[in-house]
Amino acid sequence: MRRRLDRNSMMRLTKPTLFTNMPVTCEDRDLPGDLFSRLMKEDPSTIKGAEALMLGEMLTLPQNFGNIFLGETFSSYISVHNDSSQVVKDILVKADLQTSSQRLNLSASNNAVTELKPESCVDDVIHHEVKEIGTHILVCAVSYTTQAGEKLYFRKFFKFQVLKPLDVKTKFYNAETDEVFLEAQIQNITTSSMFMEKVSLEPSMMYSVAELNTVETEDEGTSTFGKMSYLQPMDTRQYLYCLKPKPEFAEKAGIIKGVTVIGKLDIVWKTNLGERGRLQTSQLQRMAPGYGDVRLSLEMIPDTVNLEEPFDITCKITNCSERTMDLVLEMCNTCSIHWCGVSGRQLGKVSPSASLALPLKLLSSVQGLQSISGLRLTDTFLKRTYEYDDVAQVCVVCPYMSRES
């Protein structure tokens, strides 16, 4: 007498694919005549009026397990069939997914089925968003009780691999104005095309983000990748983002200086017949720029100035150290840049993370693109001098030549 549930099957639930056929044609003067043409017209899988196309109107159910990619939703149909001639009781079906780092329970219900008659089955559908690559093992365990009161138990294992769908590379560019530019290179390393539904950057709490992947027109922004956002196999796209410190953190130089966590990318795509995948990167980290104890940046500078005519700039001095500084400003002339004002003046005490605006006047005696150099800051407490050369560039033109022309 059989006392076991002998059949436990598992099938992956995937969407069907478009049916393709291999059309065979010939000329009317050939031996088959119009035989091939008539057969293709009678074939229900061909498109009426376009029978020679390989693409048909029907859908094909999956013929194999297929590939599973990171970020997709794995769906499976589990069926437990009673092949015996007895009624069994207290049937409990449990489905666990074993990955390289954890074991997950995917069963929709942990309640046992009261009884299962011969030739009947217990069905269950499970879903799981795949978040790890590598080997996965679906463990299906079934326990039940026979009519004689004997408790039996068996398991079956289904092994599959999760592949990586995208290759993501990032580059950071730190600007002098505390802005951070992120370039994300995304490559499709699968064998099928992807529709890129969304590629966005979720910034950390200290930054706000602006996407630079659209071209502004009169009505609305147009994507730089065109209207059809498809990524073909092995193709790569570059996405650009600009992050700015939020106003409440912009003035806290010590905090911004040490921030390395920028945010994370959120990528959503669709494949055949709308199957969706989603991938979130880990927190992206940059190499924090080293400003030293004192940071000098330019808040205002003209693009073009006249030769031998004074012009104004505004500098911002920030104390990036953890101590108070007493600063003295010295202005050293170069062969082309001449400072106007008193050198060696006291700027006063600057507290940690505090800033002060410093308006300065200078002129250039040489035409062309000139570098602004020669600023020196001395901390009288530690007798330490900080030199600032090539802090910016300005274009110097001759106004007399422009008037004559």
Side-chain angles (χ1 to χ4, degrees):
M1 181 179 296
R2 299 175 63 186
R3 297 188 301 175
R4 291 194 56 187
L5 300 178
D6 285 336
R7 262 197 287 169
N8 177 18
S9 59
M10 189 274 289
M11 180 179 66
R12 182 189 175 196
L13 296 179
T14 56
K15 292 187 177 181
T17 58
L18 293 173
F19 176 78
T20 57
N21 51 29
M22 186 62 67
V24 179
T25 60
C26 66
E27 296 183 2
D28 293 339
R29 61 185 180 182
D30 291 338
L31 183 61
D34 62 345
L35 175 62
F36 293 150
S37 177
R38 285 188 289 105
L39 290 176
M40 287 192 296
K41 289 181 180 180
E42 295 173 359
D43 189 346
S45 65
T46 58
I47 300 177
K48 303 306 178 185
E51 291 81 6
L53 290 178
M54 293 182 62
L55 195 63
E57 293 183 329
M58 293 187 175
L59 298 176
T60 304
L61 294 176
Q63 303 300 309
N64 51 44
F65 195 83
N67 293 325
I68 300 179
F69 294 101
L70 183 69
E72 294 183 342
T73 299
F74 168 68
S75 299
S76 178
Y77 169 74
I78 300 174
S79 179
V80 179
H81 188 267
N82 185 2
D83 284 349
S84 68
S85 59
Q86 298 181 359
V87 176
V88 294
K89 299 180 179 180
D90 300 329
I91 305 95
L92 180 62
V93 181
K94 185 179 180 182
D96 292 341
L97 185 63
Q98 178 70 55
T99 69
S100 59
S101 63
Q102 58 183 334
R103 189 183 183 102
L104 303 169
N105 181 17
L106 304 184
S107 300
S109 175
N110 293 323
N111 298 325
V113 178
T114 306
E115 66 176 20
L116 185 63
K117 297 179 180 180
E119 301 302 325
S120 299
C121 59
V122 176
D123 301 324
D124 191 12
V125 177
I126 58 175
H127 304 279
H128 174 67
E129 183 179 349
V130 182
K131 298 181 180 180
E132 296 182 41
I133 60 175
T135 303
H136 287 57
I137 302 175
L138 182 62
V139 183
C140 297
V142 181
S143 62
Y144 59 97
T145 305
T146 65
Q147 286 184 340
E150 182 182 2
K151 293 185 178 180
L152 298 179
Y153 172 86
F154 69 93
R155 291 188 303 175
K156 283 195 175 182
F157 302 89
F158 303 92
K159 185 177 180 180
F160 59 91
Q161 294 288 332
V162 175
L163 307 177
K164 185 179 177 182
L166 299 171
D167 186 25
V168 181
K169 298 178 180 178
T170 57
K171 295 180 181 179
F172 289 101
Y173 306 92
N174 297 309
E176 285 293 328
T177 57
D178 286 331
E179 294 179 340
V180 180
F181 291 90
L182 168 64
E183 177 190 351
Q185 299 180 1
I186 300 177
Q187 183 182 23
N188 176 11
I189 57 177
T190 68
T191 57
S192 59
S193 302
M194 287 184 177
F195 173 76
M196 306 304 292
E197 184 175 296
K198 183 181 74 169
V199 180
S200 62
L201 176 64
E202 298 179 1
S204 60
M205 60 177 295
M206 293 186 182
Y207 286 94
S208 59
V209 64
E211 295 190 9
L212 305 179
N213 305 308
T214 56
V215 178
E216 297 296 332
T217 58
E218 296 180 358
D219 299 331
E220 58 183 6
T222 303
S223 173
T224 56
F225 307 111
K227 296 181 179 180
M228 304 301 292
S229 186
Y230 285 99
L231 190 60
Q232 300 298 332
M234 305 310 295
D235 280 0
T236 303
R237 280 185 180 177
Q238 288 81 24
Y239 295 84
L240 186 62
Y241 304 90
C242 177
L243 296 105
K244 297 181 180 180
K246 292 182 179 179
E248 57 267 29
F249 300 106
E251 298 300 325
K252 300 178 181 179
I255 297 178
I256 294 297
K257 174 185 175 183
V259 172
T260 58
V261 176
I262 297 300
K264 57 185 178 181
L265 287 170
D266 187 13
I267 307 170
V268 180
W269 69 90
K270 289 182 179 179
T271 54
N272 297 335
L273 296 179
E275 290 183 284
R276 176 173 293 189
R278 181 182 182 185
L279 183 64
Q280 279 191 327
T281 65
S282 56
Q283 289 290 343
L284 303 176
Q285 294 188 345
R286 62 161 180 165
M287 186 70 71
Y291 298 127
D293 293 338
V294 184
R295 180 186 180 190
L296 187 144
S297 58
L298 286 181
E299 295 291 295
M300 187 276 294
I301 182 173
D303 296 329
T304 306
V305 298
N306 292 331
L307 180 67
E308 298 180 347
E309 291 185 9
F311 61 95
D312 298 319
I313 65 173
T314 302
C315 298
K316 181 180 179 182
I317 299 175
T318 305
N319 182 359
C320 297
S321 68
E322 298 179 354
R323 55 185 174 81
T324 301
M325 291 185 173
D326 188 14
L327 298 177
V328 175
L329 174 65
E330 295 182 6
M331 300 178 293
C332 304
N333 294 332
T334 64
C335 60
S336 59
I337 295 296
H338 305 274
W339 296 93
C340 305
V342 178
S343 179
R345 61 170 165 156
Q346 293 278 347
L347 299 181
K349 295 181 179 180
V350 183
S351 303
S353 300
S355 304
L356 60 88
L358 183 62
L360 298 174
K361 188 181 292 289
L362 64 159
L363 61 85
S364 176
S365 59
V366 180
Q367 296 184 68
L369 191 64
Q370 303 299 326
S371 295
I372 297 177
S373 303
L375 291 176
R376 306 291 183 264
L377 290 173
T378 301
D379 181 12
T380 60
F381 289 153
L382 297 181
K383 306 300 181 182
R384 184 178 297 172
T385 300
Y386 305 92
E387 299 181 357
Y388 299 94
D389 295 319
D390 299 324
V391 294
Q393 291 180 326
V394 64
C395 182
V396 182
V397 299
C398 181
Y400 308 106
M401 294 180 60
S402 60
R403 291 173 186 172
E404 292 177 357
S405 60

